[in-house]
Amino acid sequence: MHAALPPLMVSSGFLPTGPLLESLTDISSEVISMDKFPFVQITNVSTMIRRIKLLSSLYEEIQEINSPLPPSSILSLTELRALDILPLSLLNLTADTKEQVELLHKQAKRVELYVDTREIQIREEFLQVMATNNEKNSMNKGFIDFRKLKEIFSSIGLRSSFDYDQEITKLGAEAEKQAGTGGLIVVSNINNLISLISLSKSMIFSEEETEKTHRDLRHRSALLGHQDHSSPSQSIFNVPDEFCCPISLDLMRDPVIVASGQTYDRNSIAQWINSGHHTCPKTGRRLIHKALIPNYALKSLIHQWCQENNIPVSEPASSPSSSSERGNSKRKSCEKAIDHISATEKVMDDVKMTAEFLVGKLATGSPNIQRQAAYELRLLAKTGMDNRRLIAEAGAIPFLVTLLSSPDPRIQENAVTGLLNLSIFKNNKILIMAAGAIDSIIDVLLSGKTTEARENAAAAIFSLSIIDDYKVMIGVCPRAIPALVKLLGEGSTAGKRDAATALFNLAVYNVNKASVVVAGAVPLLIDLLMDDKAGITDDALAVLALLLGCSEGVEEILTSRVLVPLLIDLLRFGSPKGKENSITLLLGLCKDGGEDVARRLLTNPRSIPSLQSLAAEGSLKAQRKAEALLRLLNRCCSQSRNPAE
């Protein structure tokens, strides 16, 4: 006989079991609860949702077992290859769940991605329209068939003016996200797509009005003969906002894209830059390069719109003709010289040169120069992973760590915020910790000279603690957790949220849970549940739910006489995530607190209806927890009526 093997613990290289399973169940619930399917890939999406629903039961059952998992299980869940290498025989699962997973495994091996030929055809038709729109040679340029485009957009769910507006808003948000990261090609393509959808919307939904305006315009043109009709036509037509320069508010004749991803008329933005400005007029962001990239697609759309509405498309003339000719010649040569790849390389070179220059000022400058240099680095590190990498490679991190102890409030604030922004890039977390920054960041958290510095110090601890090893390293610092708890009680709304998220991240590591409790977090977290102004109810609930994982946390939470009524109210009025955490807390308290908590629940007239409502209509996780809690309360009620003899 083989000796029984002890349970294998999780390797330190993996995410702890609790957060991993919680993430998997949350993602599964979010996917399963989709109430509106996309208009493309419907068959594949439906199949995926059915399979994820089966897997969610697996994840939650493993979560409820609450016992150590073999490393192979952690690996399979972490790498999302659960069906391939998940050792079902080593997990204490019910027979039903094992059978479902094995069946799903067999089905997944046989399945093939369904390719809808109609969707392939729609894609090709749309690419053809885009190619027509992007044609740069105006002599050969085709015109867009808006009836065909309407059919294409309708087939993918854009059927009303509101649908078009929603799509434009989403694309605009994506362009903002991409701006400043060096992705000029991506930003340009997104802006071109926005322009095409905007033009399509104006053409498709204003057909009758446009035809009437055409008749008015033709009549007026006949009356005026050969007189200049640019003003009448422009006054009659409402130029689409996307075709107007944000600076001059006039129709753009030569649209160009700047480093921030925004589009302007060439003359307007050139005057802005030549007058000494170094920022984007619309976003206020610093322009990290001054290349003006022609927006050919938008120019093509404007040209077509002007021709369809009888508006002259000629470029406005400059004062002297010789100057105009020289300007046009220079513009053409510039347009030929600039391509997106070389522009991106130039951006990186400019960032690298700027970072090295600013680091030199940090090292040798006066306090005033250091303050300005730290501020510039803080802004540069705010946008784009490449920027964060290049700033670190220039050697900024050790100097910023040194400046955390500066007596100048602004230098300290800029230094800690700069480190926070840099820490978003994973490798920079390692460099920041290697530079011995954590003690200085804790000093700023405890006694920073500005509120923003203290809040950003807490946010920096949260960012660094994303790496599991650093949860341990930060947790063993005797001042770290008490400093976060202090900010939780005394900080502004933003500061309390930063402190709560940092404490949540640290409490994921079991050893830190007791430290959070000992530091006095539980009463503050319960108070925050009643503080509408703080607005961090969900964050506070999430931390309290984690603290149930240690005996000190259970004991401290059970001392509160106001928590159970609060949780019952949150079952009714909380957010979906808040309701899930409220049920988790109540279920844990009933198991650990026994009859006392169950009795308090049973005597509250709102508890049972709220649980029954969630069991019927809540999220998948909320339903399972509510059903489990109702069963537990039912057993308690039965035992109280029929005590053992």
mmCIF file of all heavy atoms in Angstrom, residues 12 16 43 88 198 227 236 238 265 283-284 287 321 497 508 512 517 598 610 627:
data_model
loop_
_atom_site.group_PDB
_atom_site.id
_atom_site.type_symbol
_atom_site.label_atom_id
_atom_site.label_comp_id
_atom_site.label_asym_id
_atom_site.label_seq_id
_atom_site.Cartn_x
_atom_site.Cartn_y
_atom_site.Cartn_z
ATOM 1 N N SER A 12 4.715 29.273 -5.351
ATOM 2 C CA SER A 12 4.689 30.727 -5.169
ATOM 3 C C SER A 12 4.660 31.470 -6.487
ATOM 4 O O SER A 12 4.401 32.655 -6.539
ATOM 5 C CB SER A 12 5.916 31.178 -4.364
ATOM 6 O OG SER A 12 7.095 30.842 -5.076
ATOM 7 N N PRO A 16 -2.526 33.123 -5.978
ATOM 8 C CA PRO A 16 -3.163 32.342 -4.919
ATOM 9 C C PRO A 16 -4.520 31.812 -5.376
ATOM 10 O O PRO A 16 -5.227 32.426 -6.169
ATOM 11 C CB PRO A 16 -3.306 33.352 -3.777
ATOM 12 C CG PRO A 16 -2.218 34.336 -4.011
ATOM 13 C CD PRO A 16 -2.056 34.430 -5.492
ATOM 14 N N THR A 43 -23.320 32.072 -33.620
ATOM 15 C CA THR A 43 -23.246 30.636 -33.328
ATOM 16 C C THR A 43 -22.090 30.325 -32.391
ATOM 17 O O THR A 43 -22.240 29.586 -31.404
ATOM 18 C CB THR A 43 -23.089 29.844 -34.641
ATOM 19 O OG1 THR A 43 -24.180 30.150 -35.504
ATOM 20 C CG2 THR A 43 -23.057 28.348 -34.368
ATOM 21 N N LEU A 88 -8.820 15.775 -12.598
ATOM 22 C CA LEU A 88 -10.113 15.630 -11.917
ATOM 23 C C LEU A 88 -10.050 14.612 -10.785
ATOM 24 O O LEU A 88 -10.746 14.745 -9.780
ATOM 25 C CB LEU A 88 -11.187 15.214 -12.928
ATOM 26 C CG LEU A 88 -11.562 16.259 -13.983
ATOM 27 C CD1 LEU A 88 -12.537 15.658 -14.983
ATOM 28 C CD2 LEU A 88 -12.164 17.484 -13.332
ATOM 29 N N SER A 198 -19.587 58.546 -39.350
ATOM 30 C CA SER A 198 -20.280 59.826 -39.166
ATOM 31 C C SER A 198 -20.880 60.310 -40.479
ATOM 32 O O SER A 198 -22.030 60.769 -40.519
ATOM 33 C CB SER A 198 -19.295 60.872 -38.628
ATOM 34 O OG SER A 198 -18.771 60.473 -37.392
ATOM 35 N N GLN A 227 -21.833 84.018 -59.890
ATOM 36 C CA GLN A 227 -21.312 84.666 -58.685
ATOM 37 C C GLN A 227 -20.748 83.627 -57.739
ATOM 38 O O GLN A 227 -21.085 82.451 -57.811
ATOM 39 C CB GLN A 227 -22.437 85.442 -57.972
ATOM 40 C CG GLN A 227 -22.962 86.615 -58.809
ATOM 41 C CD GLN A 227 -24.065 87.336 -58.098
ATOM 42 O OE1 GLN A 227 -24.282 87.132 -56.904
ATOM 43 N NE2 GLN A 227 -24.778 88.180 -58.821
ATOM 44 N N ILE A 236 -26.060 77.310 -46.131
ATOM 45 C CA ILE A 236 -27.242 76.456 -46.175
ATOM 46 C C ILE A 236 -26.962 75.118 -45.525
ATOM 47 O O ILE A 236 -27.776 74.578 -44.805
ATOM 48 C CB ILE A 236 -27.704 76.266 -47.633
ATOM 49 C CG1 ILE A 236 -28.241 77.592 -48.172
ATOM 50 C CG2 ILE A 236 -28.763 75.189 -47.749
ATOM 51 C CD1 ILE A 236 -28.633 77.549 -49.630
ATOM 52 N N ASN A 238 -25.257 72.333 -43.077
ATOM 53 C CA ASN A 238 -24.615 72.137 -41.782
ATOM 54 C C ASN A 238 -23.452 71.183 -41.980
ATOM 55 O O ASN A 238 -23.644 69.999 -42.233
ATOM 56 C CB ASN A 238 -25.609 71.556 -40.776
ATOM 57 C CG ASN A 238 -26.685 72.561 -40.403
ATOM 58 O OD1 ASN A 238 -26.413 73.750 -40.291
ATOM 59 N ND2 ASN A 238 -27.906 72.080 -40.226
ATOM 60 N N ASP A 265 -6.975 71.004 -39.249
ATOM 61 C CA ASP A 265 -6.590 71.519 -40.555
ATOM 62 C C ASP A 265 -5.119 71.933 -40.496
ATOM 63 O O ASP A 265 -4.664 72.520 -39.504
ATOM 64 C CB ASP A 265 -7.461 72.715 -40.925
ATOM 65 C CG ASP A 265 -7.222 73.161 -42.345
ATOM 66 O OD1 ASP A 265 -7.643 72.449 -43.272
ATOM 67 O OD2 ASP A 265 -6.579 74.221 -42.534
ATOM 68 N N THR A 283 -6.894 68.224 -26.418
ATOM 69 C CA THR A 283 -6.732 67.380 -25.231
ATOM 70 C C THR A 283 -5.849 68.005 -24.164
ATOM 71 O O THR A 283 -5.873 67.579 -23.015
ATOM 72 C CB THR A 283 -6.128 66.020 -25.623
ATOM 73 O OG1 THR A 283 -4.781 66.217 -26.103
ATOM 74 C CG2 THR A 283 -6.951 65.348 -26.705
ATOM 75 N N GLY A 284 -5.024 68.994 -24.555
ATOM 76 C CA GLY A 284 -4.090 69.589 -23.603
ATOM 77 C C GLY A 284 -2.839 68.771 -23.372
ATOM 78 O O GLY A 284 -1.967 69.159 -22.597
ATOM 79 N N LEU A 287 2.666 67.488 -26.958
ATOM 80 C CA LEU A 287 2.973 66.803 -28.219
ATOM 81 C C LEU A 287 4.415 66.326 -28.173
ATOM 82 O O LEU A 287 5.352 67.132 -28.140
ATOM 83 C CB LEU A 287 2.765 67.755 -29.406
ATOM 84 C CG LEU A 287 1.335 68.275 -29.604
ATOM 85 C CD1 LEU A 287 1.291 69.290 -30.741
ATOM 86 C CD2 LEU A 287 0.374 67.130 -29.888
ATOM 87 N N SER A 321 1.361 84.749 -54.226
ATOM 88 C CA SER A 321 1.281 83.507 -54.978
ATOM 89 C C SER A 321 2.576 82.733 -54.904
ATOM 90 O O SER A 321 2.590 81.516 -54.814
ATOM 91 C CB SER A 321 0.926 83.801 -56.437
ATOM 92 O OG SER A 321 1.911 84.637 -57.012
ATOM 93 N N ARG A 497 -10.437 55.209 -1.148
ATOM 94 C CA ARG A 497 -10.552 54.164 -2.185
ATOM 95 C C ARG A 497 -9.177 53.561 -2.489
ATOM 96 O O ARG A 497 -9.049 52.332 -2.627
ATOM 97 C CB ARG A 497 -11.161 54.749 -3.449
ATOM 98 C CG ARG A 497 -11.305 53.722 -4.565
ATOM 99 C CD ARG A 497 -12.025 54.273 -5.769
ATOM 100 N NE ARG A 497 -13.444 54.464 -5.492
ATOM 101 C CZ ARG A 497 -14.029 55.645 -5.304
ATOM 102 N NH1 ARG A 497 -13.305 56.742 -5.375
ATOM 103 N NH2 ARG A 497 -15.311 55.741 -5.036
ATOM 104 N N VAL A 508 -5.044 39.512 -0.009
ATOM 105 C CA VAL A 508 -5.134 38.288 -0.807
ATOM 106 C C VAL A 508 -4.143 37.253 -0.278
ATOM 107 O O VAL A 508 -4.407 36.050 -0.294
ATOM 108 C CB VAL A 508 -4.860 38.610 -2.296
ATOM 109 C CG1 VAL A 508 -4.636 37.345 -3.104
ATOM 110 C CG2 VAL A 508 -6.036 39.398 -2.879
ATOM 111 N N ASN A 512 -1.166 38.278 5.519
ATOM 112 C CA ASN A 512 -1.442 39.703 5.712
ATOM 113 C C ASN A 512 -2.836 39.966 6.279
ATOM 114 O O ASN A 512 -3.100 41.060 6.781
ATOM 115 C CB ASN A 512 -1.296 40.457 4.387
ATOM 116 C CG ASN A 512 0.146 40.530 3.914
ATOM 117 O OD1 ASN A 512 1.070 40.435 4.714
ATOM 118 N ND2 ASN A 512 0.339 40.696 2.620
ATOM 119 N N VAL A 517 -6.405 43.127 10.155
ATOM 120 C CA VAL A 517 -7.368 43.138 11.267
ATOM 121 C C VAL A 517 -6.766 43.817 12.492
ATOM 122 O O VAL A 517 -7.391 44.680 13.119
ATOM 123 C CB VAL A 517 -7.815 41.702 11.603
ATOM 124 C CG1 VAL A 517 -8.728 41.705 12.828
ATOM 125 C CG2 VAL A 517 -8.519 41.068 10.414
ATOM 126 N N ALA A 598 -27.502 33.393 12.533
ATOM 127 C CA ALA A 598 -28.681 32.845 11.851
ATOM 128 C C ALA A 598 -29.964 33.365 12.489
ATOM 129 O O ALA A 598 -30.931 33.707 11.789
ATOM 130 C CB ALA A 598 -28.644 31.323 11.888
ATOM 131 N N SER A 610 -35.329 39.082 0.603
ATOM 132 C CA SER A 610 -34.185 39.553 -0.181
ATOM 133 C C SER A 610 -33.380 38.382 -0.723
ATOM 134 O O SER A 610 -32.962 38.377 -1.892
ATOM 135 C CB SER A 610 -33.284 40.445 0.679
ATOM 136 O OG SER A 610 -33.980 41.582 1.123
ATOM 137 N N GLU A 627 -28.971 30.537 -2.369
ATOM 138 C CA GLU A 627 -29.585 29.223 -2.147
ATOM 139 C C GLU A 627 -28.909 28.488 -0.996
ATOM 140 O O GLU A 627 -29.580 27.860 -0.161
ATOM 141 C CB GLU A 627 -29.490 28.407 -3.438
ATOM 142 C CG GLU A 627 -30.414 28.908 -4.545
ATOM 143 C CD GLU A 627 -30.109 28.265 -5.886
ATOM 144 O OE1 GLU A 627 -29.140 27.463 -5.952
ATOM 145 O OE2 GLU A 627 -30.813 28.573 -6.870
#
